[in-house]
Amino acid sequence: MKCTDIGKRLKTARELQGLSARKVSAMAELSLEAAHSIETTGRMPAIDTCERLARVVHVSPCWLAYGAEPVRRVFNYRKAPGFTALRRAADLDATLRGEGGRIDHSYLYSDPLGAARYIDLIRSARAMPVREAASAILEHGSLPMAVVALGAGNAQQESALVAALAQSKIPPDIDGEPSIEFYLVDSSMNLLSEAYELATEQLASFSIPVCAIEGDFNRLPTFSDMFSARGPRRKVFTLLGYTVGNLDNELAFLRDCLICANRGDLLLIDFVLRDDDGKDVQASLKHDPMAKILASGGTVKSNKLLAFLAGPVARHYGENSLEVGIRAVSDSGVIPNSYSVEFWASVDTPEGVKQFITAGWRRYQLKPLCAAFERLGWKTVGKWSFNPERPSALVLFQRL
């Protein structure tokens, strides 16, 4: 029976957490020899003992006790608890009918037209050094892993990363299941369906199971059990597409949203580098690609990027009444020496002029950002530069 292998499962999970058998027993408030006894004899403990041990080594009690039936290795779709796209649509409508203000950038992709414009824009985007990142991930051990793509978009870069990891032929887990599981998380069902199709197609030859989760990654702790309920796996979180620069508070994201990350888990992010060496941000704004588009006479009707960024406002009020622009916000934010470039759309209505901010791109200096992340327990273990036209960095962190 599968319960006879409980000792093997407990030892595997314990060692992945870097804990001794006596430490696990103490943390579970059991006799100090309890964990060692289970590992060496394979005897089945009481249910409450299994639950205590499972909490300490961060696996499900069902898996620890019985090996649990493996999650069926089929492509599947799930929805995060409490998430509803219809409520988000109502929230967006209420904001647009209000006095103006900031519209969360995720609403740019919430309708089919916005998602289609976004995918059209990124098809020609420069590739990131994901192969180098995959090599760095594997340097920290060829362990079974769960790759969790937060804000996956169409998963173009994330799928390339997983393919590079799969080529290393990581051994299966202790149940004989695939060594890599791939989870796509996005609040846009339109993007999620495209990501699912692309990922399953590109990874089919590796037999990697793909799961699409419709949800808001800012509420990750409410559904993180969807990718951590099985046996011990190293989690590799990705936040690509310059998404970190759109967060209201990058450090709060690490502290609150990635609370589900265990020691040894990894985080891969990309962001735009600040290139002005601390000079006046208004001067650097002149060299921004968006400023060049606007200076050349680009409009919502003539430019795909402007049409995408102004999408929610244009669809509500019409393109003819819009004025768009960008501005630099020189506040440092929570990351020292960073600043933000914001895109705004203004519209003249019978109630007066309304202005909406639909997107922002925070720019960082590499050292201050890495130092801020390390203060919260995320050590820098790899960094690469790319895209000379828009100097950017791809950085890999590991949870201490």
Side-chain angles (χ1 to χ4, degrees):
M1 294 180 64
K2 288 187 176 181
C3 63
T4 60
D5 290 327
I6 184 173
K8 182 190 299 184
R9 288 189 292 274
L10 177 58
K11 183 178 180 181
T12 299
R14 172 179 64 76
E15 290 180 344
L16 190 62
Q17 296 299 320
L19 300 172
S20 68
R22 289 176 67 87
K23 181 67 173 178
V24 167
S25 298
M27 293 173 67
E29 298 181 348
L30 301 170
S31 67
L32 293 182
E33 297 302 321
H36 176 73
S37 175
I38 295 170
E39 290 181 11
T40 54
T41 67
R43 68 176 178 83
M44 184 67 182
I47 293 175
D48 64 329
T49 299
C50 283
E51 291 176 342
R52 290 185 182 191
L53 291 169
R55 281 195 297 270
V56 171
V57 296
H58 300 288
V59 297
S60 72
C62 187
W63 178 83
L64 180 61
Y66 302 107
E69 280 302 309
V71 177
R72 290 301 89 199
R73 296 316 183 197
V74 295
F75 302 142
N76 55 84
Y77 171 92
R78 304 186 70 178
K79 180 179 285 190
F83 181 85
T84 165
L86 296 179
R87 185 181 302 148
R88 283 172 55 82
D91 291 343
L92 174 59
D93 183 68
T95 301
L96 290 168
R97 292 178 183 277
E99 296 298 323
R102 184 178 296 275
I103 296 175
D104 189 279
H105 76 281
S106 64
Y107 285 112
L108 295 175
Y109 330 98
S110 58
D111 67 275
L113 181 56
R117 284 175 170 170
Y118 171 74
I119 291 175
D120 187 39
L121 286 167
I122 64 172
R123 279 201 177 104
S124 59
R126 286 180 176 269
M128 299 178 192
V130 292
R131 286 190 172 275
E132 292 85 340
S135 296
I137 290 169
L138 294 169
E139 287 176 3
H140 292 83
S142 297
L143 301 171
M145 62 184 70
V147 179
V148 185
L150 304 176
N154 75 334
Q156 182 174 319
Q157 305 290 352
E158 294 87 342
S159 296
L161 173 71
V162 173
L165 290 169
Q167 289 171 2
S168 67
K169 302 186 184 303
I170 303 171
D173 68 12
I174 62 175
D175 287 333
E177 295 298 327
S179 56
I180 301 177
E181 299 174 345
F182 191 22
Y183 297 88
L184 307 168
V185 180
D186 208 288
S187 59
S188 168
M189 182 175 63
N190 304 292
L191 288 181
L192 199 58
S193 63
E194 292 294 317
Y196 167 85
E197 182 177 1
L198 185 147
T200 53
E201 179 180 338
Q202 291 194 358
L203 302 174
S205 62
F206 300 108
S207 300
I208 292 175
V210 180
C211 179
I213 302 175
E214 187 182 4
D216 180 0
F217 66 74
N218 289 297
R219 292 180 52 78
L220 188 62
T222 67
F223 59 91
S224 60
D225 60 331
M226 290 184 178
F227 46 79
S228 60
R230 280 184 47 74
R233 284 177 177 261
R234 170 167 289 163
K235 291 185 285 293
V236 180
F237 297 97
T238 67
L239 194 65
L240 303 180
Y242 302 129
T243 303
V244 70
N246 283 303
L247 298 177
D248 290 334
N249 187 317
E250 304 89 339
L251 301 186
F253 167 77
L254 290 182
R255 184 188 65 238
D256 302 333
C257 300
L258 292 186
I259 194 172
C260 56
N262 298 319
R263 182 170 58 181
D265 287 348
L266 298 157
L267 170 65
L268 184 67
I269 67 171
D270 66 323
F271 50 88
V272 182
L273 291 167
R274 180 171 180 167
D275 59 357
D276 60 358
D277 294 325
K279 298 177 183 178
D280 182 9
V281 297
Q282 301 302 329
S284 66
L285 190 62
K286 297 177 182 179
H287 305 291
D288 191 279
M290 181 66 66
K292 295 178 181 178
I293 292 174
L294 293 169
S296 64
T299 66
V300 173
K301 288 186 176 182
S302 65
N303 186 274
K304 292 181 180 180
L305 180 57
L306 297 182
F308 165 66
L309 294 173
V313 184
R315 286 188 282 281
H316 189 87
Y317 289 102
E319 294 179 345
N320 293 329
S321 60
L322 285 185
E323 179 185 356
V324 298
I326 60 171
R327 59 181 169 227
V329 180
S330 58
D331 66 283
S332 62
V334 296
I335 306 296
N337 301 331
S338 65
Y339 74 93
S340 183
V341 176
E342 296 179 340
F343 177 87
W344 55 265
S346 181
V347 59
D348 193 1
T349 74
E351 296 83 25
V353 176
K354 298 180 181 181
Q355 189 174 94
F356 300 90
I357 299 170
T358 64
W361 309 273
R362 187 164 287 278
R363 283 140 167 78
Y364 307 92
Q365 291 179 340
L366 184 59
K367 288 184 178 179
L369 184 139
C370 292
F373 276 39
E374 290 182 8
R375 284 194 293 272
L376 287 183
W378 288 89
K379 178 184 177 182
T380 306
V381 293
K383 49 190 175 183
W384 307 269
S385 59
F386 67 101
N387 194 358
E389 295 178 1
R390 192 184 188 192
S392 306
L394 182 67
V395 183
L396 181 67
F397 299 92
Q398 185 170 42
R399 189 74 169 94
L400 299 177

